[in-house]
Amino acid sequence: MKINIRRSRRAAVAVALGSVLALTATACGDDGSGTGGDKGDEGSGKGKIVFWDNNGGVRTDAWKAIIADFEKANPDIDVEYVGIPSADYQSKVETAIQGGGLPDVGGVGAAMIASFSAQKVLEPVDDRLAKSSLNGKLNEDMLTSLKAAGGVDDTLYSVPTSANNGVLYYRTDLFEKAGLDEPTTWDKFYAAADKLTNAKKNEFGYTIRGGAGSIAQALDAMYGQSGITSFWNGDKTTVNDPKNVEALKKYAALYKKDTPSADLNNDFTKMVAQWDSGTIGMLNHNLGSYQDHVKSLGAEKFRGIPQPTGASGKRVQVSNPVDGIGLFKSSKNKEAAWKFIEFAVSHAENSKFNESAGQVPANNEAATDAWISKAEPTKLAAAALTDGSTTIVQLPYYLPDWGTISKADNEPNFQKVLLGKMSAKDFLDTLADQLNDAQAEWNSQKG
């Protein structure tokens, strides 16, 4: 049964705002104003600015080191650091849009841009970037992803810092023992998943993400196998193309056959912990979990490689949300805030940040630094983005409904597919109907 959900862009934004009005705003800009309608000011380029980290705790040490370097180089600027856990970040910003207290500068990844830009709280940074020392030095694919995420006139609202690419991790010790080739193609991936599974011994070839965050991973596997290179064909999505239907059907069939049954409810934390502590052959996750695997398994027992290639020999991946730093329009000291952004994404600082995070640097000079060669998954991911072997399918982060469609509306349905209670075709037709409606609404609002 298909579900047809139509929402207006205005209504989607209103719902997002209404859901967070009860929350309490945290941290203030330099004078505590900073609301959504505030146009701000260039300021003196000196004094205090406030920076909100969108992955507080995980990246706190890295950002504090960058801030220390910045303040040493700019002794007339003081940066107040506010670390906010990634799960809470967007709601904190939404609350501050209404109640005041937006920061001068903050983390703005691709998945957040549509909501923030629709509410006109981000400063376009194209002109600033063109005049800065960063001009021509940033990864073009990351810039393209962030511009596409905004969905308005190819405008850049966030300066990229890194890409947290999807990786296929596999246990080299288990593959060697079983006499298996490296899973560089989808055919080798499925063959390995079968051969490494012995459910009676609690050994499985793969762990599949069935809980929170499952849709993006499923789309990655789907487009990777089908070889379809665009999310849209005109104004209609390609998610329910027959090739994608067959690909998802094959992928979902791994559940309970070559995966643990507990995978049905696994978010990334549970999935990573399960892989690190068990005897599972393969795991799809991003670069961010690399150090966890090193600590648990030792670097000699696994490898992290780019996603498998399809029958054509080409690799197709869906876009992983690129992270970045945005300048909030309400800032009363935009000149100082921009200096901080420019400094943070400079060669040395961007390299330092991404070496700590294990991610692909946005600064092209940083992407050639020596540490990249030592962190093999990052090295391979960076190469895959630049050597022409990979085509990126841009997900429609610009749609105000994308978050709801890809999470609340369809994660439960994907679990039904895994359980055999919903066909891959019905699931993708439902998803396509919702996406096509959201795209039509988006187009009407633009017009």
Side-chain angles (χ1 to χ4, degrees), residues 189-305:
F189 165 82
Y190 281 109
D194 276 337
K195 190 165 184 180
L196 292 173
T197 297
N198 186 335
K200 291 181 180 179
K201 294 184 178 181
N202 202 34
E203 298 171 352
F204 298 94
Y206 184 60
T207 175
I208 198 168
R209 189 167 181 170
S214 61
I215 303 302
Q217 188 174 98
L219 292 176
D220 206 19
M222 190 173 80
Y223 278 93
Q225 293 172 80
S226 73
I228 295 170
T229 57
S230 176
F231 197 80
W232 300 101
N233 182 6
D235 288 329
K236 301 296 182 184
T237 182
T238 58
V239 294
N240 60 338
D241 182 283
K243 290 182 180 178
N244 277 335
V245 172
E246 286 304 307
L248 185 64
K249 184 177 178 181
K250 187 173 183 179
Y251 181 70
L254 289 169
Y255 176 65
K256 287 185 75 172
K257 180 172 76 75
D258 293 328
T259 79
S261 59
D263 284 0
L264 183 70
N265 296 304
N266 274 359
D267 58 11
F268 85 89
T269 305
K270 294 175 183 175
M271 185 177 65
V272 168
Q274 180 177 257
W275 194 69
D276 284 347
S277 62
T279 51
I280 299 174
M282 295 176 289
L283 160 77
N284 271 120
H285 195 237
N286 55 49
L287 291 165
S289 61
Y290 174 68
Q291 291 300 332
D292 292 330
H293 309 322
V294 172
K295 290 175 184 176
S296 297
L297 300 170
E300 71 283 354
K301 287 188 178 180
F302 78 97
R303 271 193 96 193
I305 62 175

Side-chain angles (χ1 to χ4, degrees), residues 360-376:
V360 180
N363 188 298
N364 291 324
E365 293 173 332
T368 65
D369 284 350
W371 68 267
I372 292 279
S373 296
K374 298 174 184 176
E376 187 188 39

Side-chain angles (χ1 to χ4, degrees), residues 9-24 35-37 90-100 102 114-121 400 404:
R9 180 184 177 201
R10 187 180 297 110
V13 172
V15 168
L17 293 175
S19 67
V20 298
L21 284 178
L23 296 173
T24 301
T35 59
Q90 186 156 350
S91 66
K92 295 289 188 185
V93 175
E94 299 279 9
T95 301
I97 290 171
Q98 293 301 295
L102 282 167
S115 174
F116 296 169
S117 65
Q119 296 171 80
K120 303 187 185 303
V121 298
T404 303

Side-chain angles (χ1 to χ4, degrees), residues 26-36 38-43 46-52 78 80 96 99-105 328-334:
T26 62
C28 295
D30 59 342
D31 66 354
S33 56
T35 59
D38 195 335
K39 294 183 179 179
D41 193 84
E42 284 298 308
K46 301 177 181 180
K48 178 183 172 182
I49 59 172
V50 176
F51 167 64
W52 282 10
D78 177 50
E80 178 184 333
L102 282 167
D104 299 278
V105 59
F328 283 89
K329 191 175 289 186
S330 60
S331 171
K332 297 296 192 297
N333 202 352
K334 292 178 186 176

